Amino acid sequence: MNADTKALDAPVSSLKGVGEALVLKLARLRVACVADLLFHLPLRYQDRTRITPIGTLRAGHEAVVEGEVMASEVVRGRRRSLLVRLRDGSGILSLRFFHFSPAQQQQFRPGARIRGFGEARAGATGLEIYHPEYRLLSDDTPPVEDHLTPIYPTTEGLHQTRLRALIEQALALLDADPEALPDWLPESLRQRFGLPELHHCLKVLHQPPPDADPDQLASGLHPASRRLALEEL
């Protein structure tokens, strides 16, 4: 057994940033060792690989948007909220937060540039995104994602971003040695049915390329999904 195989068999506590509390949360997902993370597969996917002009947004669609803050204010009504008006040259969109801090409110000063992701909905000011994931834009802001974003089964207190980061650590260990996980399907059988190798399947299912069909991935019809199903049989 090589070093990477041992790393995949190691408890999740061996990963960076995993303490006792996180170990207990992962246990509720039946994730005990590093390899378990590799087989904790997404339920669905989001496309965060492109910026959508605000003017083309439609209610019910999830999208990544970028724009400049025009104004922000605390609105008092049935529920107190922070309303941020964002524009990008093609249109205007509202970001609405029902839970916010004074420090967060200060971030949305006029002229600040924001990248956000969420589902556009019809609201009191037109199209709105409630509690978007967002970041302030700067010269060193990374580009948009280069693969579809997985959404995993999770548990209380364990956010998607944390779970993705752990799975990325596990994938890095697998990338270091693709043979660290045994491939139980004979090569002749894989060639007969045109099925990819195990490490490639896991990479595709956790980090699908932008041109992958999210519905095909989520429904189990993608070749990578079929490959894992055949191995289970």
Side-chain angles (χ1 to χ4, degrees), residues 137-206:
L137 293 176
S138 62
D139 293 339
D140 58 354
T141 300
V144 292
E145 299 287 344
D146 60 2
H147 56 265
L148 299 183
T149 300
I151 304 297
Y152 294 100
T154 189
T155 187
E156 184 178 357
L158 180 55
H159 298 294
Q160 291 290 331
T161 51
R162 190 70 180 277
L163 194 49
R164 289 185 203 119
L166 293 176
I167 291 173
E168 285 175 5
Q169 287 190 60
L171 286 172
L173 292 171
L174 182 61
D175 285 343
D177 182 5
E179 297 182 359
L181 281 179
D183 200 326
W184 299 110
L185 292 183
E187 184 176 355
S188 59
L189 189 61
R190 294 201 309 269
Q191 291 180 350
R192 177 182 174 186
F193 291 101
L195 299 173
E197 296 177 334
L198 179 58
H199 71 274
H200 177 74
C201 290
L202 292 171
K203 184 76 172 179
V204 167
L205 291 174
H206 286 295

Side-chain angles (χ1 to χ4, degrees), residues 65 82-86 93-97 108 114 129 132:
V65 296
L82 173 62
L83 184 68
V84 180
R85 298 287 279 169
L86 200 68
L93 171 72
S94 292
L95 311 180
R96 191 182 293 272
F97 300 85
F108 296 112
I114 303 292
I129 297 180

